[in-house]
Structures are given as C-alpha cells and as structure tokens.
Amino acid sequence: MPSAKRPDRSGRSPRPAGAAGATGPFTSLDFQLVLLRRMADHNPDLVDDARRKLGVSAADMREANRRWQAMLHSPRGRAAASRYRSVLGTPESVTERRIGDLTCEAWQWPLPLWPDLRFEVLVARKGAVWNEWLVRAPGAPAPELRTSADLRPWCCTVDEVARAFAPARPLEGTAPTRWGLSFTAADAQGVRRECAAEFTWGLLQRVSVTGQPR
C-alpha cells in the first residue's frame, strides 16, 4: 500500500483535487477551505478564485467544512487550543499579550492563501480560546485606508479598519466568526458618511453606506 503524502509547502492537500468525502488528517489546506466556506456568502467570486489557486473543488470545500463542524460538535473533540495545534501545527510565534487586566498568549500561523496575514488565536492561561481571526503579519505593510473607497474585500482586517476610522463602534455579527464595525468615513469625493463594515474570520468582506452625508 502506498504511503500517505504529506502536504507540500504551498499547503496543498495530500489528497487529489476533487476527492470529496476524503478521510485522513485534517490539514492546513482543509482549514483554509473552512475559512473560505464562510466567506463565500459575501464574495463567491473571490472564493472561487482562491479555491482554484489551491487546486480543489467546491465539493472539497463543503466536505472540509462538514468535517470541521463535526470536530467542533463531537463530544470527544479536542479543546479549541489543542484542535488548532493539531490542524495547523506548532505556531510560528507565541506572544504574551495583555487585554485590560487579563493576560493571554497570541498564537499565530501563516496560511498560504494570505501570505501577508496570520491566523491568530488568543489563548488564556488555562487553555480557553478568547478569539480566533486573521491579522496582519508582523512586518507586512498595512494598506493605506483613507476613504471608504479604499475598503475593498479582503484588503484589511478588523483592527486596521478600527484604527483608520476611529472611533469605530462594534456591531453584532450575523453569525459565528463574523464581526461588524460602524464608523464615519469620507467617500471618494470627500463627503463623510456613516458606514458599516462586515468581516468574516477578521477579514473585510463588504462595506455599506448606512447614513446621510455629514
């Protein structure tokens, strides 16, 4: 029997493309497909392009999401922090971080689809996961965000929009792994308007104008 192939450095799957329903280890590629599955509701064209870049089918993406959901809800499933280590391996970096009066660790992993970003998990001392999303990679240049016209899908993260258009106000997400921000930003003509931005796994998906000119 041939030995199982390991993922290559690009994060490609050890199984052939189109192998929906495949079993075996849940890989970094599978996890990227889980992220894409959530983003497909807002930007299906971007997701299709990314999926083709990874060399997998829409069925593969659905199957990866099904397996991920099964792991989340399994009564014998791993704790969240252990699950990420099992899927993504040893974090590229582990940094202590203070949030108010609390201390946690920020674990970060690279993902081939977004080389300028890192997937970050905030882990409390007892292993509880506080947050999990995409952030800008250390040393990677952040986009210049001056007007609402600069806010293109997938170009920036939650914290980058919050800093660029402070004071931004958090909005309740429409589903798990989704966030929202409300803020005032000038449009391409310099007219300031109330806007609402939606994020999935911390990455910008779309922006809508919600108010009259100010």
Side-chain angles (χ1 to χ4, degrees):
M1 179 179 295
S3 60
K5 295 181 180 179
R6 295 183 179 181
D8 63 25
R9 292 184 180 180
S10 70
R12 289 184 182 275
S13 174
R15 63 183 183 275
T23 59
F26 196 90
T27 67
S28 173
L29 170 64
D30 293 309
F31 183 66
Q32 290 173 92
L33 295 179
V34 170
L35 303 188
L36 290 175
R37 178 65 185 86
R38 275 291 186 188
M39 297 179 190
D41 294 337
H42 289 143
N43 293 293
D45 291 342
L46 286 176
V47 168
D48 285 345
D49 289 344
R51 180 175 51 73
R52 285 190 287 268
K53 180 179 178 181
L54 292 173
V56 296
S57 68
D60 288 327
M61 184 172 68
R62 291 191 297 270
E63 176 61 14
N65 189 66
R66 185 198 66 77
R67 293 180 66 195
W68 178 256
Q69 293 300 321
M71 285 193 290
L72 293 184
H73 301 294
S74 170
R76 298 187 301 276
R78 297 172 181 263
S82 297
R83 183 169 57 248
Y84 283 120
R85 278 187 175 270
S86 173
V87 170
L88 299 175
T90 302
E92 178 183 70
S93 66
V94 176
T95 307
E96 186 172 278
R97 188 174 299 172
R98 288 191 63 83
I99 301 177
D101 295 331
L102 302 176
T103 301
C104 65
E105 289 185 339
W107 299 358
Q108 293 188 355
W109 290 268
L111 296 176
L113 262 181
W114 296 284
D116 289 340
L117 302 177
R118 294 294 182 266
F119 186 74
E120 179 181 85
V121 176
L122 298 183
V123 183
R125 290 191 181 278
K126 294 185 178 180
V129 170
W130 288 352
N131 197 29
E132 46 215 318
W133 59 6
L134 292 162
V135 298
R136 187 67 51 187
E144 293 186 1
L145 305 177
R146 294 194 177 94
T147 72
S148 57
D150 297 323
L151 296 173
R152 300 178 304 278
W154 293 18
C155 80
C156 53
T157 63
V158 172
D159 60 325
E160 289 169 341
V161 174
R163 288 196 302 267
F165 302 103
R169 300 170 297 283
L171 299 173
E172 185 175 353
T174 57
T177 74
R178 290 182 179 169
W179 292 263
L181 287 177
S182 175
F183 54 91
T184 301
D187 61 18
Q189 287 73 44
V191 179
R192 293 177 60 80
R193 299 174 183 268
E194 284 292 322
C195 301
E198 297 179 67
F199 304 81
T200 299
W201 291 103
L203 194 61
L204 179 66
Q205 301 299 310
R206 64 184 178 189
V207 177
S208 57
V209 176
T210 61
Q212 297 298 317
R214 299 182 61 178

Short mmCIF file of all heavy atoms in Angstrom, two decimals, residues 156-179:
data_model
loop_
_atom_site.label_atom_id
_atom_site.label_comp_id
_atom_site.label_asym_id
_atom_site.label_seq_id
_atom_site.Cartn_x
_atom_site.Cartn_y
_atom_site.Cartn_z
N CYS A 156 -8.11 44.21 4.17
CA CYS A 156 -7.73 44.66 5.50
C CYS A 156 -8.48 43.90 6.58
O CYS A 156 -9.43 43.16 6.30
CB CYS A 156 -7.97 46.17 5.65
SG CYS A 156 -9.66 46.67 5.22
N THR A 157 -8.03 44.09 7.81
CA THR A 157 -8.57 43.36 8.94
C THR A 157 -9.40 44.27 9.85
O THR A 157 -9.41 45.49 9.68
CB THR A 157 -7.42 42.73 9.75
OG1 THR A 157 -6.61 43.80 10.28
CG2 THR A 157 -6.56 41.82 8.87
N VAL A 158 -10.04 43.65 10.84
CA VAL A 158 -10.88 44.41 11.76
C VAL A 158 -10.10 45.53 12.44
O VAL A 158 -10.54 46.69 12.46
CB VAL A 158 -11.48 43.48 12.84
CG1 VAL A 158 -12.20 44.28 13.91
CG2 VAL A 158 -12.44 42.48 12.22
N ASP A 159 -8.94 45.19 13.02
CA ASP A 159 -8.21 46.21 13.78
C ASP A 159 -7.69 47.32 12.88
O ASP A 159 -7.59 48.47 13.31
CB ASP A 159 -7.08 45.57 14.59
CG ASP A 159 -6.07 44.85 13.73
OD1 ASP A 159 -6.46 44.27 12.72
OD2 ASP A 159 -4.87 44.87 14.09
N GLU A 160 -7.37 47.00 11.62
CA GLU A 160 -6.89 48.04 10.70
C GLU A 160 -7.98 49.04 10.37
O GLU A 160 -7.73 50.26 10.32
CB GLU A 160 -6.34 47.40 9.43
CG GLU A 160 -5.02 46.67 9.68
CD GLU A 160 -4.57 45.81 8.53
OE1 GLU A 160 -5.41 45.46 7.66
OE2 GLU A 160 -3.37 45.47 8.49
N VAL A 161 -9.20 48.58 10.16
CA VAL A 161 -10.32 49.49 9.89
C VAL A 161 -10.65 50.30 11.15
O VAL A 161 -10.90 51.51 11.07
CB VAL A 161 -11.55 48.71 9.41
CG1 VAL A 161 -12.76 49.63 9.26
CG2 VAL A 161 -11.25 48.02 8.08
N ALA A 162 -10.62 49.65 12.31
CA ALA A 162 -10.94 50.35 13.55
C ALA A 162 -9.94 51.47 13.82
O ALA A 162 -10.33 52.56 14.28
CB ALA A 162 -10.94 49.36 14.72
N ARG A 163 -8.66 51.26 13.52
CA ARG A 163 -7.65 52.30 13.73
C ARG A 163 -7.78 53.42 12.68
O ARG A 163 -7.64 54.60 13.01
CB ARG A 163 -6.25 51.71 13.67
CG ARG A 163 -5.88 50.85 14.87
CD ARG A 163 -4.38 50.63 14.93
NE ARG A 163 -3.87 49.99 13.71
CZ ARG A 163 -3.73 48.69 13.56
NH1 ARG A 163 -4.07 47.87 14.55
NH2 ARG A 163 -3.24 48.18 12.45
N ALA A 164 -8.04 53.04 11.44
CA ALA A 164 -8.07 54.04 10.37
C ALA A 164 -9.27 54.97 10.48
O ALA A 164 -9.19 56.14 10.08
CB ALA A 164 -8.09 53.34 9.01
N PHE A 165 -10.37 54.47 11.01
CA PHE A 165 -11.60 55.27 11.07
C PHE A 165 -12.13 55.37 12.49
O PHE A 165 -13.33 55.26 12.73
CB PHE A 165 -12.65 54.67 10.13
CG PHE A 165 -12.20 54.58 8.70
CD1 PHE A 165 -11.80 53.36 8.16
CD2 PHE A 165 -12.14 55.71 7.91
CE1 PHE A 165 -11.36 53.28 6.85
CE2 PHE A 165 -11.70 55.64 6.59
CZ PHE A 165 -11.31 54.42 6.06
N ALA A 166 -11.21 55.60 13.42
CA ALA A 166 -11.60 55.77 14.82
C ALA A 166 -12.42 57.05 15.00
O ALA A 166 -12.21 58.04 14.27
CB ALA A 166 -10.35 55.81 15.68
N PRO A 167 -13.39 57.03 15.93
CA PRO A 167 -13.76 55.92 16.79
C PRO A 167 -14.78 55.01 16.11
O PRO A 167 -15.89 55.46 15.77
CB PRO A 167 -14.36 56.60 18.01
CG PRO A 167 -14.97 57.87 17.45
CD PRO A 167 -14.11 58.28 16.29
N ALA A 168 -14.43 53.77 15.87
CA ALA A 168 -15.36 52.80 15.28
C ALA A 168 -16.12 52.09 16.40
O ALA A 168 -15.58 51.89 17.50
CB ALA A 168 -14.60 51.78 14.44
N ARG A 169 -17.34 51.71 16.11
CA ARG A 169 -18.18 51.06 17.11
C ARG A 169 -18.46 49.62 16.66
O ARG A 169 -18.83 49.39 15.51
CB ARG A 169 -19.51 51.82 17.26
CG ARG A 169 -19.31 53.26 17.69
CD ARG A 169 -20.57 54.09 17.62
NE ARG A 169 -21.09 54.22 16.25
CZ ARG A 169 -20.57 55.03 15.33
NH1 ARG A 169 -19.52 55.78 15.61
NH2 ARG A 169 -21.11 55.10 14.14
N PRO A 170 -18.29 48.66 17.56
CA PRO A 170 -18.54 47.27 17.18
C PRO A 170 -20.02 47.01 16.93
O PRO A 170 -20.89 47.59 17.59
CB PRO A 170 -18.03 46.47 18.38
CG PRO A 170 -18.10 47.43 19.53
CD PRO A 170 -17.83 48.79 18.96
N LEU A 171 -20.29 46.16 15.96
CA LEU A 171 -21.65 45.72 15.66
C LEU A 171 -21.74 44.22 15.89
O LEU A 171 -20.76 43.50 15.70
CB LEU A 171 -22.01 46.03 14.20
CG LEU A 171 -21.99 47.49 13.78
CD1 LEU A 171 -22.20 47.59 12.27
CD2 LEU A 171 -23.06 48.28 14.52
N GLU A 172 -22.89 43.76 16.27
CA GLU A 172 -23.08 42.33 16.49
C GLU A 172 -22.96 41.58 15.16
O GLU A 172 -23.56 41.98 14.15
CB GLU A 172 -24.45 42.06 17.11
CG GLU A 172 -24.66 40.60 17.48
CD GLU A 172 -25.97 40.38 18.21
OE1 GLU A 172 -26.64 41.38 18.54
OE2 GLU A 172 -26.33 39.21 18.44
N GLY A 173 -22.19 40.52 15.15
CA GLY A 173 -22.04 39.72 13.94
C GLY A 173 -23.31 38.96 13.61
O GLY A 173 -24.10 38.64 14.49
N THR A 174 -23.49 38.66 12.33
CA THR A 174 -24.69 37.95 11.90
C THR A 174 -24.57 36.43 12.07
O THR A 174 -25.53 35.72 11.89
CB THR A 174 -24.99 38.26 10.42
OG1 THR A 174 -23.84 37.91 9.62
CG2 THR A 174 -25.29 39.75 10.24
N ALA A 175 -23.36 35.95 12.39
CA ALA A 175 -23.13 34.52 12.58
C ALA A 175 -21.80 34.36 13.30
O ALA A 175 -21.02 35.31 13.39
CB ALA A 175 -23.09 33.79 11.23
N PRO A 176 -21.53 33.17 13.85
CA PRO A 176 -20.21 32.95 14.45
C PRO A 176 -19.10 33.23 13.44
O PRO A 176 -19.27 33.00 12.25
CB PRO A 176 -20.26 31.47 14.84
CG PRO A 176 -21.71 31.16 15.00
CD PRO A 176 -22.42 32.00 13.99
N THR A 177 -17.98 33.70 13.92
CA THR A 177 -16.79 34.07 13.13
C THR A 177 -17.02 35.34 12.32
O THR A 177 -16.18 35.68 11.48
CB THR A 177 -16.32 32.94 12.17
OG1 THR A 177 -17.23 32.83 11.05
CG2 THR A 177 -16.23 31.61 12.90
N ARG A 178 -18.10 36.06 12.56
CA ARG A 178 -18.34 37.31 11.84
C ARG A 178 -18.36 38.48 12.82
O ARG A 178 -18.84 38.36 13.93
CB ARG A 178 -19.66 37.25 11.06
CG ARG A 178 -19.58 36.29 9.88
CD ARG A 178 -20.86 36.28 9.10
NE ARG A 178 -20.75 35.36 7.95
CZ ARG A 178 -21.76 34.99 7.20
NH1 ARG A 178 -22.98 35.45 7.44
NH2 ARG A 178 -21.57 34.16 6.20
N TRP A 179 -17.83 39.61 12.36
CA TRP A 179 -17.79 40.83 13.15
C TRP A 179 -18.30 41.98 12.29
O TRP A 179 -18.32 41.90 11.07
CB TRP A 179 -16.35 41.16 13.57
CG TRP A 179 -15.75 40.21 14.55
CD1 TRP A 179 -15.68 40.36 15.92
CD2 TRP A 179 -15.09 38.98 14.26
NE1 TRP A 179 -15.03 39.28 16.47
CE2 TRP A 179 -14.66 38.42 15.48
CE3 TRP A 179 -14.84 38.28 13.08
CZ2 TRP A 179 -13.98 37.22 15.57
CZ3 TRP A 179 -14.17 37.07 13.15
CH2 TRP A 179 -13.75 36.55 14.38
#
